[in-house]
Amino acid sequence: MKWDWIFFDADETLFTFDSFGGLQRMFLDYSVTFTAEDFQDYQAVNKPLWVDYQNGAITALQLQHQRFDVWAERLKVSPGALNEAFLNAMADICAPLPGAVSLLNALKGKVKLGIITNGFTALQQIRLERTGLRDHFDALVISEEVGVPKPDPRIFDYALALAGNPDRDRVLMVGDTAESDILGGMNSGLSTVWLNAHGRVKPEGIEPTWTVTSLNELEQLLCKQ
């Protein structure tokens, strides 16, 4: 295999991330029937916050609280409590994406594996334990702990230092978000694989080394190498 290390994004790259399902489940505890319309309103707040977070304009904590400000006021609870309930619900419903377990089993022992995620610590740890995939990974790098998110090159520098500073020509970054995973990998001198399962148009100026539409396709690509 031509790689010494392969780093993966987590949400929607290795694991499902059904935030609507998680919110519905969480709000049941507050006797709220969370509708598709409520979800649209939530995403109208949440999506720009993630862009701000990726651009370094707000912290992880600000994102986690601000996305629940409206509901916190409505339900008279703290945004922090809602955020914690949401991450717990997400941990309950999460599952590996199709092809993830097969891919990781095929790579285990042949190459060092890591995760670099902008997701939040509470969810990442539990999820790896519950899915039984913790032992596949030699490094788990979480933006909330490092203090900078992808695409900032500093989170990649941190991950590579943790990996023992391997030759960057022999490190691959795999992810579904071109603007964070692929751009960050490119700017850090890594080869990249864009997992484009939903037929997104490639953003201008971002050039993945390879593009695949599924993890099964990625497994075939890597096994050829």
Side-chain angles (χ1 to χ4, degrees):
M1 171 144 324
K2 66 186 273 188
W3 310 108
D4 293 333
W5 275 86
I6 301 175
F7 284 100
F8 291 91
D9 169 51
D11 298 336
E12 293 297 349
T13 296
L14 292 175
F15 301 104
T16 59
F17 196 84
D18 173 14
S19 43
F20 183 39
L23 288 160
Q24 285 182 308
R25 187 184 184 113
M26 162 196 129
F27 276 116
L28 283 177
D29 292 341
Y30 294 94
S31 307
V32 170
T33 303
F34 190 79
T35 66
E37 201 174 327
D38 289 329
F39 184 57
Q40 278 183 323
D41 293 343
Y42 169 83
Q43 285 292 55
V45 174
N46 183 51
K47 281 187 168 169
L49 288 173
W50 275 98
V51 173
D52 285 346
Y53 178 52
Q54 280 168 13
N55 292 339
I58 59 172
T59 66
L61 195 62
Q62 285 172 311
L63 187 164
Q64 292 177 74
H65 286 189
Q66 285 174 24
R67 62 184 175 179
F68 288 118
D69 276 348
V70 171
W71 281 100
E73 207 165 292
R74 207 178 287 179
L75 297 171
K76 302 286 178 276
V77 289
S78 75
L82 287 176
N83 184 68
E84 191 179 341
F86 172 58
L87 292 177
N88 285 337
M90 290 303 292
D92 286 343
I93 66 169
C94 113
L97 278 166
V101 174
S102 165
L103 170 67
L104 294 171
N105 285 340
L107 295 174
K108 194 179 180 184
K110 297 195 181 100
V111 57
K112 297 269 193 186
L113 300 174
I115 286 176
I116 306 177
T117 174
N118 284 356
F120 300 124
T121 308
L123 177 58
Q124 307 304 327
Q125 303 277 17
I126 302 169
R127 193 160 57 174
L128 282 173
E129 297 297 338
R130 285 192 187 169
T131 51
L133 294 174
R134 183 74 193 89
D135 293 343
H136 286 67
F137 293 99
D138 302 283
L140 173 58
V141 177
I142 303 171
S143 64
E144 192 177 3
E145 292 173 6
V146 180
V148 288
K150 297 174 293 188
D152 193 310
R154 287 174 294 176
I155 192 169
F156 291 89
D157 291 344
Y158 178 95
L160 291 162
L162 197 65
N165 291 308
D167 179 349
R168 292 188 186 217
D169 289 343
R170 296 185 58 82
V171 179
L172 184 65
M173 176 68 203
V174 179
D176 70 300
T177 307
E179 296 83 350
S180 60
D181 304 316
I182 306 309
L183 183 61
M186 280 171 57
N187 289 345
S188 301
L190 311 181
S191 296
T192 57
V193 176
W194 185 30
L195 174 62
N196 184 14
H198 305 293
R200 273 194 66 198
V201 174
K202 185 171 64 64
E204 213 170 308
I206 299 180
E207 294 298 337
T209 318
W210 294 279
T211 299
V212 296
T213 57
S214 69
L215 292 174
N216 293 330
E217 194 183 333
L218 176 61
E219 185 178 336
Q220 288 167 355
L221 173 76
L222 290 173
C223 290
K224 278 191 208 129
Q225 298 173 351

